Amino acid sequence: MSAAARIESIQAREVLDSRGRPTVEVEISVAGGWVGSAIVPSGASTGSHEAVELRDGDLRRLRGRGVRQAVGNINHLIAPHLVGQDAANQVTIDALLISLDGTRNKSRLGANAILGVSLAAARAAASAMRLPLWRYLGQGRVLPLPMINVISGGLHASHNLDFQDFMIMPVGAASYSRALEMSLEVHWAVHDLLLERELSTLKADEGGFGPALPDNRAALDLLMAAVERAGYRPGDEIAFALDAAATHFYRPEQGRYDLASEGRMCDVSELIDLLAAWVANYPIVSIEDGLAEDDWAGWRELTDRLGGAVQLVGDDLFTTNPQRVRQGVDQGIANAVLVKMNQIGTLTETLAVIRLAREAGYRPVISARSGETEDSTIADLAVATNAGQIKIGSLAQSERLAKYNQLLRIEDALGAEAQFAGWRDLSPAGSRSAGSAVG
Ligand code: PGA
Ligand code: ZN
């Protein structure tokens, strides 16, 4: 084969993620001595419809969390089939990976094994073409509006709060770099307020603060105080976004949601009432996983009630899976899709879900996982696809900053060509203008 990016070797190994847990790294060498590598992220508040992350399960080693099987699958089962292929032929490579696996949820070879190879191939092809990944992947010029974690709860912070992410969106920023500056000032203001109130400033999994607050609403009040302390107008300049991650406090046996930090169980209508009250009282423009992953009837009610006012993002609901996104679109549920590459397992399928969401008028939000690494692929993906929004975590910890910093580099490289996705520029969904959000 005369392909410029002919794969010569594939080498996988076990490395560690930001929680110190094993994950898969893959290096692919192509003709000409070019190399591409990728490291796969890992979730904690995972959805049950995600592609399968293969863990060794051998309790004698690393509590069963090792990924030696996934690594072995790459080195011994996948590599022999891919050597000689053109790394630039992403669709062919991903189709080969999917057929080698042969299962519906990538449980044989492991979605962690498959995604590592898929991304390393893209990186190897990009380097062989002397292109940065974002240029190799697409024509995009739009820096995404970040959704930045400030206060963490749920599974990422030992259940101090029921809701998982209390985030800010710097909707008043005119550029990506300015958006980061504004967000840092709010992040630091939260830090000062926590010290003044003698609350913990320790960080949760995604680098957000994980203080022991009396209830979920106290986190919103703290954010309000911090935005004002930093000198910004809530709503106009800094809006709020939530990830309830409600799957993880849903109790299927009772069909109710357990707001443990508030000492009450509520049914679906009560939880929607609570969210609606918050939307009325705080500058919230986006709510992710407001209800549990399979509560389709509840989601319908949630979308009817709030879908015209705010962005409703499906994470555990959709799991970056085209069938589930299609079902949501057909039923008019949610209006945005969280895109996590390891929920589906290949780059080609990820790009297809982004396309599918767009065509249906649903906004894509490119997202990291709570277990991350120095791999910054999602930054490149967000720009290449003009996704418009990205969710990386807090402005702390190098596994998060690897992505935020990569976006600064891309902004710099684009220079005058760089565009920034302001809230108002984002097409359909969540029609509420950020400026009118308070009240
Ligand atoms: P996870 O969290 O990576 O632990 O799933 C991120 C999210 O829920 O959005
Ligand atoms: Zn989520």
Side-chain angles (χ1 to χ4, degrees), residues 10 50 92 120 151 195 227 230 246 251 260 305 329 346 392 408 424:
I10 300 182
E50 298 192 17
T92 306
I151 299 169
L195 283 182
V227 169
R251 303 289 163 251
R305 292 271 304 275
V329 169
T346 63
I392 300 172
L408 286 171
R424 290 171 191 81

Side-chain angles (χ1 to χ4, degrees), residues 45 164-165 243 245 288-289 315-316 338 340 391:
S45 71
Q164 181 178 283
D165 302 328
D243 179 4
E288 176 182 331
D289 282 356
D315 171 13
D316 292 352
L338 202 75
K340 290 169 165 171
K391 180 188 178 202

Side-chain angles (χ1 to χ4, degrees), residues 19 42-47 50 155-156 164-165 167 205-206 243 245 248 288-289 315-316 338 340 342-343 367-372 391 400:
R19 278 189 280 249
S42 173
S45 71
T46 49
E50 298 192 17
L155 290 175
H156 295 168
Q164 181 178 283
D165 302 328
M167 298 173 284
D205 286 6
E206 297 194 2
D243 179 4
H248 302 281
E288 176 182 331
D289 282 356
D315 171 13
D316 292 352
L338 202 75
K340 290 169 165 171
N342 77 327
Q343 285 183 330
S367 175
R369 300 303 311 236
S370 52
E372 271 293 338
K391 180 188 178 202
R400 313 285 146 196

Side-chain angles (χ1 to χ4, degrees), residues 129-207:
M129 291 177 202
R130 284 84 151 165
L131 288 172
L133 189 63
W134 58 276
R135 282 215 196 264
Y136 171 72
L137 289 178
Q139 306 295 316
R141 297 285 180 271
V142 179
L143 274 295
L145 176 63
M147 206 179 250
I148 297 177
N149 186 316
V150 182
I151 299 169
S152 295
L155 290 175
H156 295 168
S158 314
H159 298 283
N160 55 331
L161 299 166
D162 310 301
F163 282 54
Q164 181 178 283
D165 302 328
F166 294 84
M167 298 173 284
I168 53 172
M169 297 187 81
V171 293
S175 68
Y176 169 74
S177 42
R178 180 64 193 137
L180 278 199
E181 287 179 15
M182 292 168 68
S183 305
L184 271 176
E185 284 161 2
V186 176
H187 179 88
W188 290 335
V190 169
H191 183 263
D192 294 348
L193 286 166
L194 289 173
L195 283 182
E196 286 168 23
R197 296 173 191 184
E198 296 181 359
L199 287 162
S200 168
T201 56
L202 294 178
K203 305 278 180 49
D205 286 6
E206 297 194 2

Side-chain angles (χ1 to χ4, degrees), residues 417-430:
E417 270 187 80
Q419 297 168 32
F420 179 61
W423 184 255
R424 290 171 191 81
D425 308 329
L426 297 170
S427 55

